[in-house]
């Protein structure tokens, strides 16, 4: 894998494939009151009306192709413990805790209510933001997550993947591991994902940027069967937060994701004002159906 690249080096090729221009993009940061730092990517010129929140174990770059398809000013936030944002010493990555950071960032980085699009953990974090700070949210789009999903299938596979080594000799070694588990697409796509979700330590070893991989490995080493990645998503407050959302609400269900038809039906029964959209995609909809998701987000932003 090439090492003479930076986090934005992949964008021109992605944009060329889509036939769109590369927007202006910059990494921004916010120093929080407790000494941590929250990081984000700001795409485009002008005031963003769209804020994107990624899932557990991902980072803001998971949205790159969707953002290129959107061609709109966008804010993509690295949740605490992910990407370039600080890890939490208390390992509290529940949606309400993450939402406090997001709200603080929106107070500084935006000046209009946002269409918040959250995938997986980011979806329930978005719900917590919308419930606590309705003034910040024009619409909420929850992507392939409900508080009632069964974590014994897809999330368990992710747990097994992250329960292995947390540091590697090279990024290629990690790419090989990801491919052996069936994650990622082409090798070049997997290389991009690995590069953007890892860092090189002072001793030259490569490690995951996100805290969940390290927590999973620790849990399995102590024979703890709990899933540290699923627990913060499904901590019991999700339905309460969703009931508190006053903004228009859309659930996106991926046909090959974590939300089954029964989960979507339960969501619609509990929240009858919700719109449900089904997309042909895997759980990471922003990566496997970016154009379709971008079209949905674009329409939401136009209506907001």
């Amino acid at each position: 894998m090439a090492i003479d690249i930076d986090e934005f080096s992949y964008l021109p090729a992605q944009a060329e494939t889509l036939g769109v221009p590369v927007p202006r993009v910059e990494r921004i940061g916010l120093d929080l009151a407790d000494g941590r730092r929250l990081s984000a990517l700001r795409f485009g010129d002008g005031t963003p009306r769209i804020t994107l929140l990624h899932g557990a174990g991902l980072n803001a770059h998971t949205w790159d192709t969707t953002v290129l398809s959107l061609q709109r000013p966008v804010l993509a936030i690295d949740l605490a413990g992910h990407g370039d944002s600080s890890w939490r010493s208390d390992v509290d990555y529940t949606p309400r805790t993450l939402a406090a950071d997001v709200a603080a960032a929106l107070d500084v980085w935006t000046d209009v209510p946002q269409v918040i699009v959250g995938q997986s953990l980011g979806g329930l974090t978005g719900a917590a933001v919308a419930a606590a700070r309705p003034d910040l949210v024009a619409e909420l789009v929850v992507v392939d997550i409900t508080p009632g999903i069964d974590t014994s299938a897809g999330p368990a596979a992710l747990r097994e993947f992250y329960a292995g080594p947390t540091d590697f000799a090279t990024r290629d070694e990690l790419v090989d591991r990801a491919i052996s588990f069936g994650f990622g697409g082409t090798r070049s796509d997997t290389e991009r994902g690995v590069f953007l979700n890892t860092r090189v330590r002072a001793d030259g070893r490569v490690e995951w940027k996100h805290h969940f991989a390290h927590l999973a490995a620790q849990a399995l080493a102590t024979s703890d069967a709990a899933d540290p990645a699923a627990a913060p998503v499904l901590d019991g407050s999700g339905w309460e937060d969703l009931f508190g959302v006053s903004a228009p609400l859309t659930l996106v269900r991926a046909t090959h994701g974590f939300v089954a038809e029964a989960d979507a039906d339960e969501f619609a029964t509990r929240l009858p004002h919700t719109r449900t959209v089904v997309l042909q995609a895997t759980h990471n909809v922003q990566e496997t159906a970016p154009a379709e998701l971008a079209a949905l987000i674009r329409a939401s932003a136009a209506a907001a």
Side-chain angles (χ1 to χ4, degrees):
M1 183 186 300
I3 59 173
D4 56 339
I5 51 180
D6 64 33
E7 64 175 319
F8 303 126
S9 296
Y10 295 96
L11 289 175
Q14 291 175 277
E16 183 178 3
T17 298
L18 294 172
V20 298
V22 180
R24 187 177 69 84
V25 57
E26 62 178 335
R27 182 164 286 282
I28 57 177
L30 177 67
D31 292 322
L32 301 170
D34 62 1
R36 290 180 300 111
R37 187 167 176 82
L38 193 72
S39 188
L41 301 176
R42 183 161 54 200
F43 292 86
D45 298 304
T47 299
R49 299 178 60 87
I50 300 166
T51 293
L52 307 176
L53 306 177
H54 61 76
L58 300 175
N59 58 72
H61 278 293
T62 189
W63 299 101
D64 284 355
T65 309
T66 300
V67 171
L68 289 171
S69 298
L70 268 170
Q71 292 292 300
R72 297 284 194 281
V74 168
L75 183 65
I77 296 176
D78 280 336
L79 297 176
H82 296 77
D84 285 9
S85 290
S86 302
W87 293 4
R88 293 188 61 92
S89 59
D90 60 2
V91 300
D92 180 1
Y93 296 113
T94 53
R96 288 183 177 178
T97 296
L98 298 175
D101 291 350
V102 173
L106 295 182
D107 277 333
V108 175
W109 290 335
T110 68
D111 57 14
V112 295
Q114 297 291 290
V115 174
I116 292 185
V117 183
Q119 184 257 343
S120 201
L121 174 58
L124 296 187
T125 299
V129 174
R133 291 290 307 276
D135 57 305
L136 296 175
V137 183
E139 182 168 344
L140 176 64
V141 179
V142 175
V143 180
D144 208 52
I145 189 67
T146 77
I149 64 166
D150 177 6
T151 64
S152 65
L158 290 174
R159 181 180 65 227
E160 183 182 357
F161 175 67
Y162 288 125
T166 58
D167 64 285
F168 303 83
T170 66
R171 284 190 168 106
D172 281 325
E173 183 182 340
L174 189 43
V175 170
D176 291 339
R177 177 174 172 81
I179 291 174
S180 73
F181 272 78
F183 298 145
T186 65
R187 186 173 185 88
S188 61
D189 287 341
T190 306
E191 287 179 349
R192 171 185 170 275
V194 166
F195 176 83
L196 294 171
N197 211 11
T198 57
R199 59 190 171 206
V200 180
R201 298 189 316 216
D203 63 1
R205 300 284 291 179
V206 175
E207 69 173 1
W208 291 110
K209 282 186 175 182
H210 63 87
H211 204 179
F212 285 158
H214 303 260
L215 296 175
Q218 292 169 11
L220 268 292
T222 58
S223 300
D224 183 349
D227 183 343
V233 178
L234 307 174
D235 73 337
S237 64
W239 288 121
E240 183 178 347
D241 288 333
L242 285 163
F243 292 146
V245 175
S246 57
L249 176 61
T250 297
L251 171 67
V252 175
R253 183 177 78 83
T255 53
H256 298 89
F258 293 168
V259 175
E261 286 188 37
D263 298 317
D265 290 343
E266 179 188 19
F267 198 95
T269 299
R270 287 175 177 257
L271 301 156
H273 61 287
T274 302
R275 175 179 62 145
T276 300
V277 177
V278 179
L279 295 182
Q280 294 288 327
T282 62
H283 181 56
N284 292 348
V285 179
Q286 67 279 5
E287 297 178 0
T288 56
E292 295 81 357
L293 184 58
L296 185 155
I297 297 169
R298 190 182 303 111
S300 295

